[in-house]
Amino acid sequence: MEWQYLSTFPMVQRCIATQLCASLAVACIEMEKSKGNKKFSRDLWDLVVPIFAVNKRKHGNYGGPQPPVRESPISVLQMSQFLTKLREPTAIIVMATLFTRVYNILRDDQSMEVHIEWMNLWPSMLPGNAAMYTNARTVTSILEILSSLLTDALRYEPNNVNFLKLLADIFFVNKHFSSAMKYYILSIISITDYFSRRINRLVDNHVYRRMIKCCIYLQCYTQAAVLCQFLDEVDYTTAFKSLAEENFCADAMDSYYDCIWDMNILEYLVCLHHKRNEYVRKQQAINIIGLLELNANNNEEIKREAANKRKTKFLQALASQYVA
């Protein structure tokens, strides 16, 4: 009812704040009605996005004016203050998806995108000329706004998986890899109810791939190799490269071997340690290969159970390191 009232607030009585609230209310109603299956109307988009436009009066390459863009009556500071007052999860998600979409368009780098469900419900083009938004400070401002929005939101919704994953992505693109790992793991803890539910299919590949990259950047190569098993299709190239890394390894290395269930990776470890004359580690890998629960002739249910047990053990170890 509140959304409906705000969305129909008389236009003549709208100040900047009520105009923003009304546009946000319309988007929230659309999300609740369509369950995220229908594009948002452009009202909120056209009101908020021009905040980040720069050089609005600059002329084009041929002396003509830039394509018209709606001048936003709201400043970045006013928007930030408005966002700190949001408490309702749907409203926060709507704003988070909008800023995420704008950031990804401006960054234009798939490897450095941030992700949240429903972000593709917003337009794929910015209003006006794209050159009006090409400013490094603009991208930074969007990430700062998003980070602040999510940090506030998590005080009231600490187990919201969408918020946790998006904040982890923000830390990742800002190269704060340890913090990114913390929030990726928190999202997994939330979605699996502290690892009490089977992890299969509950966590998407995007999270695992980002965690793998975080571990590599943190020089935790064995952790990266173990995580390569979690993908729908095991990333053997990255796993083997990580295990063969000769630089300083910042993790406990062979203490994670009992979290490996993929035979190809275990056999690679045997060959690797044999080549390096590391007898103890080689024997450890051989002993794991010989475990009955990892026998290649086991039925699929036993194999899944063995994998899930090791996934849980490994993620609990990561939680102890990055979250505790």
Side-chain angles (χ1 to χ4, degrees), residues 6-9 11 14 16 18-30 39-51 70-74 79 94-95 98 121-123 127:
L6 284 172
S7 66
T8 57
F9 199 77
M11 184 67 73
R14 291 183 184 179
I16 294 173
T18 54
Q19 187 178 356
L20 182 58
C21 289
S23 299
L24 176 57
V26 170
C28 290
I29 291 171
E30 290 172 342
K39 293 275 188 180
F40 290 119
S41 61
R42 293 186 61 102
D43 291 354
L44 186 62
W45 178 264
D46 289 337
L47 181 65
V48 173
V49 175
I51 292 173
R70 179 178 173 181
E71 190 89 13
S72 176
I74 309 169
M79 174 56 66
V94 167
M95 296 306 299
L98 187 151
L121 299 180
W122 294 107

XYZ file of all heavy atoms in Angstrom, residues 6-9 11 14 16 18-30 39-51 70-74 79 94-95 98 121-123 127:
368
model
N 2.869 6.242 -2.705
C 3.981 7.073 -3.170
C 3.995 7.206 -4.688
O 4.273 8.275 -5.230
C 5.311 6.476 -2.698
C 5.675 6.689 -1.228
C 6.909 5.875 -0.869
C 5.922 8.165 -0.944
N 3.680 6.106 -5.367
C 3.738 6.122 -6.832
C 2.677 7.017 -7.447
O 2.823 7.486 -8.576
C 3.599 4.696 -7.386
O 2.307 4.183 -7.108
N 1.594 7.257 -6.709
C 0.501 8.084 -7.240
C 0.479 9.473 -6.612
O -0.509 10.192 -6.733
C -0.855 7.392 -6.985
O -1.007 7.154 -5.574
C -0.934 6.070 -7.733
N 1.566 9.835 -5.948
C 1.622 11.149 -5.304
C 1.489 12.231 -6.369
O 2.149 12.168 -7.411
C 2.951 11.305 -4.564
C 2.937 12.384 -3.518
C 2.319 12.170 -2.299
C 3.533 13.611 -3.757
C 2.305 13.158 -1.325
C 3.522 14.601 -2.794
C 2.901 14.375 -1.577
N 1.809 14.998 -8.998
C 3.018 15.547 -9.599
C 3.270 16.992 -9.162
O 4.404 17.399 -8.921
C 2.907 15.479 -11.126
C 4.153 15.929 -11.867
S 5.563 14.820 -11.612
C 5.043 13.428 -12.600
N 5.184 17.406 -5.905
C 6.444 16.686 -5.752
C 7.640 17.628 -5.707
O 7.862 18.425 -6.617
C 6.646 15.692 -6.906
C 5.680 14.520 -6.882
C 5.995 13.556 -8.010
N 5.016 12.473 -8.071
C 5.039 11.509 -8.978
N 5.987 11.500 -9.904
N 4.124 10.568 -8.966
N 12.011 17.401 -4.981
C 13.026 16.455 -5.452
C 12.921 15.124 -4.717
O 12.945 14.051 -5.322
C 14.437 17.061 -5.262
C 14.615 18.272 -6.177
C 15.511 16.022 -5.543
C 15.900 19.027 -5.927
N 10.349 13.761 -3.010
C 9.140 12.982 -3.300
C 9.151 12.452 -4.727
O 8.610 11.382 -5.001
C 7.877 13.833 -3.073
O 7.967 15.046 -3.830
C 7.704 14.157 -1.604
N 9.775 13.187 -5.632
C 9.900 12.704 -7.007
C 10.756 11.439 -7.051
O 10.426 10.470 -7.741
C 10.530 13.793 -7.881
C 10.545 13.457 -9.372
C 11.141 14.588 -10.191
O 11.474 15.645 -9.665
N 11.276 14.362 -11.481
N 11.830 11.450 -6.292
C 12.695 10.274 -6.219
C 11.969 9.110 -5.560
O 12.025 7.968 -6.036
C 13.966 10.622 -5.446
C 15.025 9.529 -5.292
C 15.484 9.019 -6.651
C 16.218 10.051 -4.493
N 11.258 9.399 -4.481
C 10.501 8.350 -3.782
C 9.422 7.758 -4.683
O 9.205 6.541 -4.694
C 9.867 8.916 -2.519
S 11.040 9.304 -1.209
N 8.739 8.616 -5.434
C 7.676 8.143 -6.319
C 8.235 7.237 -7.409
O 7.667 6.175 -7.715
C 6.949 9.332 -6.941
N 9.356 7.633 -7.991
C 9.969 6.817 -9.047
C 10.462 5.486 -8.490
O 10.331 4.438 -9.131
C 11.137 7.576 -9.686
O 10.696 8.776 -10.279
N 11.025 5.536 -7.291
C 11.480 4.305 -6.643
C 10.300 3.401 -6.315
O 10.371 2.176 -6.491
C 12.262 4.647 -5.375
C 12.740 3.476 -4.503
C 13.603 2.508 -5.307
C 13.519 4.000 -3.291
N 9.207 4.000 -5.866
C 8.010 3.215 -5.541
C 7.471 2.497 -6.772
O 7.069 1.330 -6.705
C 6.941 4.128 -4.947
N 7.475 3.185 -7.910
C 7.009 2.565 -9.158
C 7.868 1.347 -9.493
O 7.355 0.280 -9.855
C 7.046 3.588 -10.318
C 6.813 2.890 -11.659
C 5.998 4.674 -10.109
N 9.185 1.498 -9.361
C 10.095 0.387 -9.662
C 9.878 -0.783 -8.696
O 9.919 -1.953 -9.102
C 11.542 0.866 -9.597
N 9.638 -0.476 -7.428
C 9.395 -1.536 -6.437
C 8.103 -2.292 -6.752
O 8.046 -3.527 -6.635
C 9.327 -0.943 -5.035
S 10.912 -0.345 -4.400
N 7.074 -1.551 -7.143
C 5.803 -2.186 -7.517
C 6.011 -3.098 -8.723
O 5.518 -4.233 -8.772
C 4.733 -1.120 -7.821
C 4.338 -0.390 -6.530
C 3.496 -1.749 -8.465
C 3.458 0.828 -6.760
N 6.780 -2.610 -9.697
C 7.043 -3.404 -10.903
C 7.803 -4.677 -10.560
O 7.512 -5.747 -11.098
C 7.841 -2.564 -11.908
C 7.034 -1.434 -12.525
C 7.882 -0.496 -13.364
O 9.123 -0.492 -13.203
O 7.301 0.243 -14.183
N 11.133 -5.624 -17.630
C 12.013 -4.462 -17.531
C 11.371 -3.373 -16.674
O 10.160 -3.184 -16.679
C 12.289 -3.893 -18.928
C 13.102 -4.807 -19.833
C 14.577 -4.633 -19.600
C 15.391 -5.406 -20.629
N 16.838 -5.241 -20.416
N 12.230 -2.642 -15.945
C 11.745 -1.504 -15.180
C 11.368 -0.362 -16.130
O 11.933 -0.227 -17.217
C 12.831 -0.986 -14.226
C 13.146 -1.905 -13.083
C 14.418 -2.435 -12.921
C 12.177 -2.225 -12.147
C 14.725 -3.264 -11.860
C 12.465 -3.061 -11.075
C 13.740 -3.580 -10.937
N 10.435 0.475 -15.689
C 10.175 1.707 -16.432
C 11.379 2.630 -16.255
O 12.166 2.477 -15.321
C 8.903 2.385 -15.927
O 9.038 2.727 -14.563
N 11.504 3.624 -17.122
C 12.712 4.449 -17.149
C 12.683 5.620 -16.167
O 13.678 6.353 -16.063
C 12.924 5.000 -18.563
C 13.271 3.943 -19.606
C 13.606 4.631 -20.924
N 14.750 5.516 -20.760
C 15.986 5.211 -21.145
N 16.239 4.040 -21.682
N 16.971 6.081 -20.978
N 11.598 5.829 -15.452
C 11.480 7.028 -14.618
C 12.654 7.183 -13.655
O 13.303 8.233 -13.598
C 10.168 7.001 -13.824
C 8.950 7.162 -14.721
O 9.141 7.414 -15.925
O 7.824 7.035 -14.221
N 12.910 6.142 -12.878
C 13.983 6.210 -11.886
C 15.345 6.296 -12.568
O 16.225 7.047 -12.136
C 13.921 4.987 -10.966
C 14.885 4.979 -9.777
C 14.606 6.151 -8.848
C 14.783 3.658 -9.009
N 15.515 5.545 -13.629
C 16.768 5.546 -14.395
C 17.087 6.949 -14.916
O 18.197 7.458 -14.732
C 16.637 4.551 -15.546
C 17.806 4.434 -16.474
C 17.976 5.066 -17.670
C 18.968 3.612 -16.303
N 19.160 4.698 -18.258
C 19.792 3.799 -17.439
C 19.397 2.730 -15.311
C 21.011 3.139 -17.612
C 20.610 2.070 -15.479
C 21.400 2.275 -16.613
N 16.098 7.575 -15.540
C 16.318 8.898 -16.127
C 16.492 9.982 -15.063
O 17.069 11.039 -15.339
C 15.144 9.271 -17.035
C 15.116 8.439 -18.313
O 16.188 7.923 -18.696
O 14.037 8.295 -18.914
N 16.018 9.718 -13.870
C 16.169 10.686 -12.789
C 17.535 10.577 -12.119
O 18.161 11.592 -11.785
C 15.061 10.474 -11.747
C 15.040 11.429 -10.548
C 14.757 12.858 -11.003
C 14.009 10.975 -9.529
N 18.012 9.343 -11.947
C 19.230 9.112 -11.168
C 20.500 9.158 -12.008
O 21.499 9.773 -11.606
C 19.138 7.756 -10.427
C 20.468 7.412 -9.756
C 18.019 7.790 -9.404
N 20.496 8.524 -13.167
C 21.733 8.370 -13.941
C 22.393 9.703 -14.296
O 23.626 9.823 -14.217
C 21.468 7.528 -15.210
C 22.725 7.465 -16.083
C 21.037 6.117 -14.819
N 21.647 10.740 -14.681
C 22.310 12.013 -15.027
C 23.116 12.633 -13.894
O 23.886 13.564 -14.131
C 21.130 12.916 -15.419
C 20.081 11.973 -15.908
C 20.199 10.782 -15.009
N 22.951 12.140 -12.676
C 23.785 12.615 -11.567
C 25.264 12.474 -11.920
O 26.097 13.300 -11.543
C 23.489 11.799 -10.285
C 22.093 12.092 -9.762
C 24.521 12.074 -9.201
C 21.700 11.194 -8.609
N 18.676 14.639 -19.714
C 17.884 15.271 -18.667
C 18.780 15.685 -17.501
O 19.515 14.886 -16.942
C 16.832 14.267 -18.190
C 15.935 14.785 -17.075
C 14.920 13.708 -16.763
N 14.117 14.037 -15.608
C 13.174 13.244 -15.127
N 12.924 12.097 -15.718
N 12.481 13.596 -14.069
N 18.740 16.963 -17.178
C 19.542 17.485 -16.069
C 18.968 16.959 -14.757
O 17.795 17.158 -14.460
C 19.491 19.005 -16.085
C 20.465 19.655 -15.139
C 21.817 19.904 -15.773
O 21.922 19.793 -17.002
O 22.748 20.200 -15.026
N 19.800 16.282 -13.979
C 19.296 15.730 -12.729
C 19.195 16.823 -11.671
O 20.133 17.592 -11.470
C 20.218 14.621 -12.228
O 19.769 14.155 -10.979
N 18.058 16.902 -11.000
C 17.916 17.897 -9.932
C 18.557 17.436 -8.629
O 18.499 18.130 -7.622
C 16.390 18.003 -9.779
C 15.895 16.637 -10.130
C 16.827 16.119 -11.204
N 19.157 16.252 -8.648
C 19.711 15.660 -7.433
C 21.232 15.600 -7.549
O 21.772 15.235 -8.594
C 19.160 14.240 -7.216
C 17.636 14.233 -7.308
C 19.608 13.677 -5.874
C 17.046 12.854 -7.362
N 21.849 12.189 -3.116
C 21.518 10.789 -3.366
C 22.084 9.899 -2.265
O 21.409 8.991 -1.762
C 22.069 10.362 -4.734
C 21.907 8.873 -5.042
S 20.190 8.299 -4.949
C 19.469 9.206 -6.314
N 16.398 -2.540 -5.624
C 16.151 -1.748 -6.834
C 17.277 -0.744 -7.054
O 17.824 -0.624 -8.160
C 14.791 -1.026 -6.746
C 14.670 0.031 -7.843
C 13.647 -2.028 -6.875
N 17.645 -0.021 -6.007
C 18.712 0.970 -6.146
C 20.058 0.299 -6.411
O 20.862 0.793 -7.209
C 18.794 1.838 -4.889
C 17.566 2.695 -4.622
S 17.087 3.759 -6.013
C 18.533 4.794 -6.204
N 20.272 -0.733 -10.003
C 20.451 0.425 -10.882
C 21.918 0.868 -10.906
O 22.514 1.030 -11.975
C 19.548 1.570 -10.422
C 19.473 2.807 -11.334
C 18.120 3.491 -11.192
C 20.579 3.816 -11.030
N 17.483 -5.732 -15.797
C 16.149 -5.188 -16.038
C 16.202 -3.690 -16.340
O 15.201 -3.099 -16.730
C 15.241 -5.440 -14.829
C 15.002 -6.909 -14.461
C 14.086 -7.011 -13.245
C 14.403 -7.676 -15.630
N 17.376 -3.094 -16.163
C 17.552 -1.679 -16.490
C 18.056 -1.536 -17.923
O 18.591 -2.487 -18.490
C 18.544 -1.028 -15.520
C 18.047 -0.959 -14.111
C 18.465 -1.712 -13.059
C 17.015 -0.107 -13.599
N 17.770 -1.387 -11.921
C 16.872 -0.398 -12.221
C 16.202 0.880 -14.163
C 15.954 0.261 -11.404
C 15.286 1.534 -13.355
C 15.171 1.222 -11.996
N 17.931 -0.346 -18.518
C 18.403 -0.144 -19.897
C 19.889 -0.452 -20.045
O 20.657 -0.386 -19.077
C 18.119 1.347 -20.154
C 17.010 1.693 -19.214
C 17.247 0.860 -17.984
N 21.525 7.572 -20.736
C 20.893 8.695 -21.436
C 21.938 9.700 -21.910
O 22.891 9.997 -21.205
C 19.976 9.306 -20.364
C 20.517 8.845 -19.062
C 21.138 7.512 -19.321
